[in-house]
RNA sequence: UGGGGUAUAGUGUAAUGGUAGCACAAUAGAUUCUGGUUCUAUUUGUCCGGGUUCAAAUCCUGGUACCCCAGCCA
């Protein structure tokens, strides 16, 4: 289990200890009352039928976190593989990779529901023998019809009162593959009139002649989730079975099974799923986005899958911090994605090396700088971290600066370069714009500047100030790169809110991806490794995309820097 | 014949009968070789109505709103 990097409890202003979430409170109480002999065993139980997303990260950090914070605690990674129709090995692998990448370690405790199939079968036989379960020949639609509705009771299946002997025999034949798919099911005999629909004789086993990713063709019957899940937790001696809100209604059913079987009975605690603004979280919607090509795959940096976020440049630390900050509760809430962005900025500000990159290049010629000269300027790698050291950046007569950093007719609050203005080129010289060259369409194609040799390194010996500092690259030294700028995938805070007859896809942001292919970056970036994170000075945090090859550099923008100028500009436009 | 949950600034989240606090966001300012970071300040809140109490977000009571449940999905 990983070392906890900071204590759960933090200090309030008044010096009071901030309280922990309600689940940790329960766990702490259970420890103090010795309810489980001091043990804390949690689990993260994904079904291997899809990729993990930030919502899963919330659950992962909760379960592994609680185990980690308590002495002797442990958290199991268990694949809930009870439905072979949708499950695949590739998901098993990606889930393990993602959990590990997030920084958690399940040690020896990797489990599969399918490892318990034999035991579950025996438990089922036990229930049948005690008259608590029966084989039902009703088909799916009949079962549904007999179940009744939310406001009216169901009615008993005509097969409800089969003898124990007949039930045992039929169940055995189900297992042996004597019947085709859907011929009959095993149901718990509870109460068809229960106000809780889950208790109206739920299905425990269905016949499925389907190859299972681990057990192959050994089984022709598979347990349903509701039957299996509580057993899995029980078999593993889980103490705190933490799940999402929608399973609250199922708890009485799990209680019923465990009580009838008289086996270890974990405590189930429910919490609310994570929702985020400007994105969608459900497996179904994510799948739809991928399948219909709205995004380029499960690791598209625009979707909140763990692999997508990894590719986007998110760090595990930032995701963990985010999960810590959002808290745990029992009511649905939607977290402002700005909090996630704050967490990654905060983390990357402290950890990422700075580098100069020009996204939309504008050529600048320093007229009074010698033609053949080049100088290598000292640049600080990370002002927040002395140990990151410095590097050399080449300067020469022809440079590129950002198009956005020049305006021919600058408004009042624009501090950057303009005709006749002097600015600092970071780590290099003060330069003054002397001429603007335009093409036939009136577009600015080139700037001429003069530099002040006395300001070498970026400081004026006479102490004169300059209103802004620009980033730049030397044209002859720069490396060409492609940069992918990402914006929110949806243009609405809540993509699900749509006009009549439309769905969340109508809120897709057409500008969620902007590809710039003529970017110029400093030469030090020549042999960067995939997923290395940088701050491009004054622009944002970027990471090396996995499409990058030896001769093709590609960066993903993780998040912009906070941008006060953009706000001012926007406000000006709104007026 | 319905049942199970939940409501605190814009968004999250604390306060378990005793000053409604924190974070994000927003706004203003200071610092700055990143319009970044950092620092300071400011705005905004207990779903509604009654009641108990010296004192209620908290206890009682009556409403209201929202979420979940009728898969042989998980």
């Amino acid at each position: 289990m990983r070392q906890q990097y900071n204590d759960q409890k933090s200090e309030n202003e008044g010096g009071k200890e901030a309280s922990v979430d309600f689940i940790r409170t329960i766990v702490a109480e259970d420890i103090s009352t010795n309810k489980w002999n001091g043990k804390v065993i949690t689990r993260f139980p994904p079904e291997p039928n899809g990729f993990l997303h930030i919502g899963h990260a919330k659950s992962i950090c909760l379960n592994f976190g609680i185990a980690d914070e308590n002495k002797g605690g442990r958290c199991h990674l268990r694949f809930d593989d009870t439905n072979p129709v949708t499950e695949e090995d590739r998901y098993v692998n990606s889930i393990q990779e993602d959990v590990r990448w997030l920084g958690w370690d399940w040690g020896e405790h990797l489990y599969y529901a399918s490892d318990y199939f034999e035991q579950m079968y025996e438990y089922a036989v036990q229930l049948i023998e005690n008259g608590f379960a029966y084989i039902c020949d009703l088909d799916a639609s009949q079962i549904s019809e007999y179940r009744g509705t939310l406001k009216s009771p169901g009615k008993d299946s005509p097969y409800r009162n089969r003898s124990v002997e007949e039930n045992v025999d039929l169940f055995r034949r189900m297992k042996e593959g004597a019947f085709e798919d859907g011929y009959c099911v095993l149901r718990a005999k509870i109460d068809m009139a229960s106000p809780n629909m889950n208790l109206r004789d739920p299905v425990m086993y269905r016949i499925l002649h389907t190859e299972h990713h681990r057990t192959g063709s050994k089984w022709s019957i598979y347990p349903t989730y509701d039957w299996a899940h509580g057993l899995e937790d029980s078999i593993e001696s889980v103490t705190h079975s933490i799940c999402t809100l929608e399973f609250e209604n199922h708890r009485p059913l799990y209680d019923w099974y465990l009580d009838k079987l008289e086996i270890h009975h974990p405590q189930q605690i429910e919490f609310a799923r994570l929702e985020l603004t400007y994105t969608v979280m459900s497996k179904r919607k994510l799948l739809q986005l991928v399948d219909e090509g709205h995004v380029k795959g499960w690791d598209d940096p625009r979707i909140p899958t763990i692999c997508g976020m990894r590719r986007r440049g998110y760090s595990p630390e930032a995701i963990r911090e985010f999960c810590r900050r959002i808290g745990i509760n029992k009511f649905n809430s939607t977290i402002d994605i700005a909090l996630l962005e704050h967490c990654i900025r905060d983390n990357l500000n402290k950890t990422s090396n700075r580098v100069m990159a020009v996204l939309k290049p504008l050529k600048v010629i320093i007229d009074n700088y010698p033609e053949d000269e080049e100088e290598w300027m000292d640049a600080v790698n990370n002002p927040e971290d002395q140990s990151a050291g410095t590097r050399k950046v080449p300067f020469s007569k022809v440079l590129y600066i950002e198009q956005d950093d020049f305006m021919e007719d600058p408004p009042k609050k624009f501090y950057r370069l303009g005709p006749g203005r002097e600015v600092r080129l970071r780590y290099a010289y003060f330069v003054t714009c002397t001429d603007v060259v335009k093409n036939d369409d009136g577009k600015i194609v080139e700037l001429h500047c003069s530099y002040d040799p006395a300001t070498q390194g970026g400081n004026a010996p006479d102490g004169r100030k300059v209103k802004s500092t620009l980033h730049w690259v030397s044209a002859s030294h720069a490396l060409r790169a492609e940069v992918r700028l990402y914006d929110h995938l949806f243009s609405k805070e809540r993509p699900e809110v749509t006009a009549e007859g439309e769905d969340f896809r109508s809120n897709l942001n057409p500008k969620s991806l902007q590809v710039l292919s003529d970017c110029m970056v400093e030469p030090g970036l020549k042999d960067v490794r995939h997923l290395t994170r940088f701050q491009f000075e004054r622009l944002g945090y970027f990471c090396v995309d996995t499409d990058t090859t030896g001769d093709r550099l590609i960066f993903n923008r993780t998040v912009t820097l906070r941008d006060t100028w953009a706000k001012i500009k926007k406000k000006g436009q709104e007026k």
Side-chain angles (χ1 to χ4, degrees), chain A residues 2 24 44 46 51-66 95 98-99 101-104 244 271-274 276 281 304-307 309 314-324 326-328 340:
Chain A
R2 50 175 280 283
R24 280 180 241 253
F44 174 63
F51 292 88
L52 261 27
H53 54 61
I54 181 80
H56 294 110
K58 177 181 183 183
S59 174
I60 290 166
C61 291
L62 217 212
N63 281 293
F64 280 93
I66 285 174
I95 288 169
D98 288 348
V99 174
W101 179 77
L102 280 170
W104 305 100
T244 44
F271 71 98
R273 286 172 182 277
L274 168 66
L276 266 182
M281 205 70 88
T305 50
I306 301 299
C307 52
M309 294 176 74
Y314 272 86
S315 64
E317 292 79 11
I319 294 174
R320 272 189 254 123
E321 174 63 9
F322 172 74
C323 291
R324 193 186 68 77
I326 57 179
I328 302 292
L340 216 209

Side-chain angles (χ1 to χ4, degrees), chain A residues 252-318:
Chain A
L253 173 58
Y254 306 156
D255 290 346
W256 189 89
Y257 285 136
L258 265 14
D259 291 346
K260 289 288 178 278
L261 256 15
E262 298 181 311
I263 55 177
H264 169 72
H265 195 148
Q267 177 179 5
Q268 175 168 307
I269 310 168
E270 306 87 7
F271 71 98
R273 286 172 182 277
L274 168 66
E275 289 187 76
L276 266 182
T277 56
Y278 294 105
T279 191
V280 291
M281 205 70 88
S282 87
K283 233 179 225 181
R284 202 203 94 234
K285 291 188 182 118
L286 257 14
L287 178 69
Q288 202 173 356
L289 291 174
V290 173
D291 277 356
E292 295 175 0
H294 298 112
V295 296
K296 291 176 180 168
W298 285 101
D299 66 345
D300 189 299
R302 289 170 291 180
I303 54 175
T305 50
I306 301 299
C307 52
M309 294 176 74
R310 176 165 58 229
R311 188 168 178 185
R312 172 98 171 227
Y314 272 86
S315 64
E317 292 79 11

Side-chain angles (χ1 to χ4, degrees), chain A residues 376-521:
Chain A
W376 289 77
M377 318 308 267
D378 284 311
V380 174
N381 285 331
N382 183 352
E384 308 289 323
D385 177 12
Q386 280 295 307
S387 69
T390 61
R391 68 186 186 288
K392 300 276 191 186
V393 183
F395 183 87
S396 64
K397 186 180 180 74
V398 183
L399 313 167
Y400 291 116
I401 64 166
E402 208 69 61
Q403 285 172 22
D404 289 348
D405 285 339
F406 177 83
M407 281 184 96
E408 195 175 15
D409 185 19
K412 208 172 173 182
K413 288 184 176 165
F414 185 85
Y415 301 151
R416 284 108 97 144
L417 198 59
R421 287 199 188 192
E422 184 175 54
V423 298
R424 169 170 36 233
L425 294 181
R426 186 148 205 190
Y427 302 124
Y429 292 100
F430 284 15
V431 297
T432 304
C433 178
T434 53
D435 198 17
V436 181
V437 181
K438 296 181 188 174
N439 64 11
D440 296 343
D441 304 329
K443 187 177 178 263
I444 298 167
V445 292
E446 189 177 294
L447 260 31
H448 285 262
C449 291
S450 63
Y451 84 113
D452 177 357
T455 57
Q456 194 195 37
N459 288 303
D462 62 1
R464 78 178 186 277
K465 300 281 186 222
V466 97
K467 279 203 116 167
S468 76
T469 300
L470 309 185
H471 61 278
W472 52 275
V473 292
S474 161
S476 59
H477 299 85
L479 267 24
R480 181 174 294 261
E482 174 180 317
V483 175
R484 299 172 181 171
L485 305 179
Y486 299 102
D487 194 1
H488 300 147
L489 220 209
F490 294 90
S491 45
K492 288 243 179 76
E493 233 178 71
R494 293 168 195 271
E496 282 88 356
V497 180
T498 57
E500 272 282 314
E502 296 187 328
D503 68 18
F504 71 105
R505 283 117 94 217
S506 64
N507 287 326
L508 277 160
N509 175 9
K511 294 180 194 148
S512 62
L513 169 63
Q514 190 188 353
V515 179
L516 303 176
S517 46
D518 298 312
C519 308
M520 296 291 175
V521 303

